[in-house]
Amino acid sequence: MLNLALWLKKNGFRADQVQAFYPSPMASATTMYHTDKNPLHKVTYKSEKVATAKSPEQRKLHKAFLRWHDPKNWPLLRKAIAEMGRQELIGDGDNQLIPHYKAGEEQLVYEAHRRKNKGGEHQKRVGKPVQVAASKPNVGKPQGGKMLTQHTGLPPKARADMGGKPKPTGKPKQRGGR
């Protein structure tokens, strides 16, 4: 998990939400969870061991590593990193995972860098007209001439009613010799 947290920081990923794994029937992940063995090969007493987090403490620590950027997780991460003997990862440099302790960090709050769907934000993104006060002249217009979807950050698919290619109509072509 430490290596994953370092990779996330290096590549600029910040997880806003982390979901705990709960075993469900007939899933390979459930086999790994209960047997601590790799189910991708035949499971025997000699099978490859797979580490799974089962205790609440382990799960909390794993979540803290995935959310390394949240100040609420820093005390737990400092303790775990020190126990691992990796104190070089605590500091303010680019190669460090979390900063040194600073007085008052308990009051720091992590603010997610996500768009919120309130106040007509959706209508502004899809380019529908929004009635707004005159104090905000650019509201309702796509920024930079491009509309981006909230979840993927990609432009929306072209549609016939918006000047894109029309969708084909009629029966699909059949393949084969009959």
Side-chain angles (χ1 to χ4, degrees):
M1 289 307 290
L2 174 63
N3 289 334
L4 177 58
L6 291 170
W7 184 90
L8 290 171
K9 181 176 182 181
K10 177 183 166 193
N11 291 293
F13 288 102
R14 292 177 174 224
D16 284 340
Q17 298 175 352
V18 176
Q19 182 176 347
F21 171 75
Y22 291 102
S24 60
M26 306 301 290
S28 295
T30 303
T31 304
M32 281 192 281
Y33 180 81
H34 286 292
T35 64
D36 292 332
K37 307 251 184 209
N38 183 355
L40 299 178
H41 305 289
K42 185 176 179 181
V43 178
T44 66
Y45 70 96
K46 294 181 181 180
S47 294
E48 174 187 6
K49 295 287 259 173
V50 177
T52 56
K54 294 180 183 172
S55 72
E57 295 81 20
Q58 283 180 318
R59 288 176 179 233
K60 189 174 182 180
L61 182 60
H62 282 202
K63 182 177 180 178
F65 273 118
L66 287 172
R67 294 187 40 79
W68 58 269
H69 52 276
D70 190 349
K72 292 178 184 174
N73 295 326
W74 292 347
L76 180 62
L77 290 176
R78 276 192 205 97
K79 180 180 174 190
I81 289 172
E83 287 174 3
M84 291 179 196
R86 300 288 309 268
Q87 289 86 350
E88 74 275 6
L89 297 175
I90 301 172
D92 297 325
D94 290 337
N95 294 330
Q96 279 86 25
L97 185 62
I98 55 173
H100 288 291
Y101 176 79
K102 295 180 181 144
E105 79 177 13
E106 298 84 18
Q107 283 76 33
L108 294 176
V109 177
Y110 171 70
E111 182 69 29
H113 298 286
R114 307 187 301 151
R115 295 180 187 164
K116 306 284 188 231
N117 279 334
K118 60 181 180 180
E121 294 294 325
H122 176 71
Q123 285 82 10
K124 288 185 254 179
R125 276 195 302 285
V126 296
K128 293 182 181 177
V130 178
Q131 295 178 353
V132 244
S135 64
K136 297 180 181 179
N138 291 333
V139 175
K141 297 178 185 175
Q143 297 175 343
K146 293 182 181 179
M147 289 186 294
L148 302 178
T149 61
Q150 177 181 3
H151 298 289
T152 62
L154 299 173
K157 292 181 181 177
R159 294 185 4 204
D161 60 340
M162 298 186 81
K165 288 185 177 180
K167 290 187 176 182
T169 57
K171 294 183 180 179
K173 295 180 182 179
Q174 290 189 5
R175 297 182 184 183
R178 290 191 186 204

